[in-house]
């Protein structure tokens, strides 16, 4: 696992954007794994800026990590809507090549998503954020490292953390469909971005703690090409801070 500690959120985001833009320049038909969440909003702004500067995403294929179960794709807080607003509608990426898990509760949706990844993958570069409890995608603590795409119950901590994106009187769904940890680990390379003091505990457990299902992100220690990019606040509890 490679660790990059940046001076501030802006520099850390820039490092991740550069990785993604570089991957698209090197291979215009790259297969990207994409993540939602507040942290990724700036990353998508950076990719959009590169597109406005001439970068084409027309041949890129993308697979998102996860989607809430029970929110139709048009719902403002669905990850389908998030991706359209943050990236898809702002670039020339081909709508037919952007994949997200279906959150309609169909029991066949997870296997269908795995089949699509097998057909179009492997994923060349997987972007990840991290939950305050160490989750990746929506793989909550206790998730099997061999897990595949499936419907999962969200931890109360995750529902509380993500409630800020929902309107008053609305609460996040209780379940989601997420790529499994086994699915994520099959990506050729992985870049995880964590910003701010609120992620410091999770970052320390991921980078310096034991490889344990109690911290899903610690599975990245077993991946041959995983890079963790953090700002100083998120690195606060690390003893090694190689820059
Ligand atoms: C959600 C997503 C994760 C993301 C996490 C952190 O739970 N399913 O993929 O990493 O949020 O989000 P934020 O960047 O908003 O802290």
């Amino acid at each position: 696992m490679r660790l990059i500690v940046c001076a501030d959120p802006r520099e850390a985001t820039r490092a991740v954007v550069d990785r993604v833009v570089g991957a698209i320049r090197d291979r215009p038909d790259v297969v990207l794994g994409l993540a939602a969440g507040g942290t990724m909003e700036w990353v998508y702004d950076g990719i959009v800026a590169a597109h406005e500067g001439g970068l084409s995403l027309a041949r890129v294929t993308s697979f998102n990590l996860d989607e809430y179960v029970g929110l139709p794709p048009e719902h403002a807080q669905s990850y389908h809507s998030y991706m359209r607003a943050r990236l898809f509608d702002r670039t020339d990426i081909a709508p037919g090549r952007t994949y997200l898990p279906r959150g309609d509760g169909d029991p066949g949706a997870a296997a269908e998503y795995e089949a699509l990844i097998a057909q179009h993958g492997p994923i060349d570069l997987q972007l990840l954020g991290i939950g305050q409890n160490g989750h990746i995608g929506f793989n909550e603590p206790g998730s099997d490292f061999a897990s595949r795409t499936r419907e999962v119950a969200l931890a109360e901590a995750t529902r509380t953390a993500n409630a800020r994106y929902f309107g008053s009187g609305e609460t996040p769904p209780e379940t989601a469909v997420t790529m499994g940890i086994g699915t994520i680990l099959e990506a050729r390379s992985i870049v995880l971005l964590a910003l701010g003091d609120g992620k410091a505990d999770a970052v320390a457990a991921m980078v310096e703690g034991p490889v344990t299902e109690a911290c899903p992100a610690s599975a990245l220690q077993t991946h041959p090409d995983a890079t963790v990019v953090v700002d100083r606040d998120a690195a606060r509890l690390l003893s090694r801070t190689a820059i």
Side-chain angles (χ1 to χ4, degrees):
M1 176 186 278
R2 194 164 158 245
L3 173 68
I4 301 176
V5 181
C6 297
D8 54 38
R10 196 187 163 94
E11 198 185 295
T13 303
R14 170 51 50 193
V16 173
V17 170
D18 287 350
R19 268 294 286 275
V20 178
V21 167
I24 300 170
R25 288 218 169 97
D26 288 349
R27 260 197 63 192
D29 62 347
V30 69
V31 181
L32 298 177
L34 301 177
T39 309
M40 289 298 146
E41 293 184 6
W42 292 352
V43 173
Y44 296 131
D45 285 347
I47 298 171
V48 168
H51 170 66
E52 287 165 356
L55 181 77
S56 175
L57 280 72
R59 294 172 59 203
V60 169
T61 298
S62 69
F63 284 95
N64 266 78
L65 284 166
D66 45 19
E67 178 59 287
Y68 291 110
V69 169
L71 300 188
E74 308 74 39
H75 190 284
Q77 271 67 47
S78 75
Y79 286 167
H80 281 76
S81 287
Y82 171 103
M83 289 309 303
R84 280 195 304 271
R86 292 281 153 201
L87 185 71
F88 299 161
D89 288 352
R90 301 164 75 197
T91 66
D92 61 346
I93 196 165
R97 273 204 282 270
T98 60
Y99 298 96
L100 288 93
R102 280 194 286 122
D104 57 9
D106 178 342
E112 180 189 291
Y113 201 59
E114 284 282 336
L116 283 168
I117 297 171
Q119 187 186 342
H120 301 285
I123 290 169
D124 295 303
L125 176 60
Q126 175 69 57
L127 279 182
L128 292 179
I130 186 170
Q132 288 180 11
N133 63 1
H135 75 232
I136 49 175
F138 271 132
N139 293 283
E140 301 285 17
S143 299
D144 197 309
F145 283 0
S147 54
R148 312 301 305 186
T149 303
R150 67 211 184 286
E151 185 170 339
V152 295
L154 299 179
E156 269 320 298
T158 300
R159 296 183 69 228
T160 303
N162 289 1
R164 67 189 189 278
Y165 299 116
F166 287 74
S168 61
E170 268 193 308
T171 50
E174 291 181 0
T175 64
V177 178
T178 183
M179 277 189 206
I181 297 178
T183 319
I184 292 169
L185 292 177
E186 284 171 8
R188 288 194 167 115
S189 64
I190 298 175
V191 177
L192 183 146
L193 176 62
L195 302 175
D197 187 62
K199 300 292 172 71
D201 282 309
V203 166
M206 161 175 63
V207 176
E208 294 182 345
V211 175
T212 165
E213 285 160 5
C215 176
S218 68
L220 268 53
Q221 292 184 32
T222 69
H223 191 277
D225 184 6
T227 304
V228 171
V229 181
V230 293
D231 64 359
R232 276 199 221 285
D233 288 344
R236 188 173 56 84
L237 299 174
L238 291 175
S239 54
R240 91 181 155 98
T241 51
I243 301 195

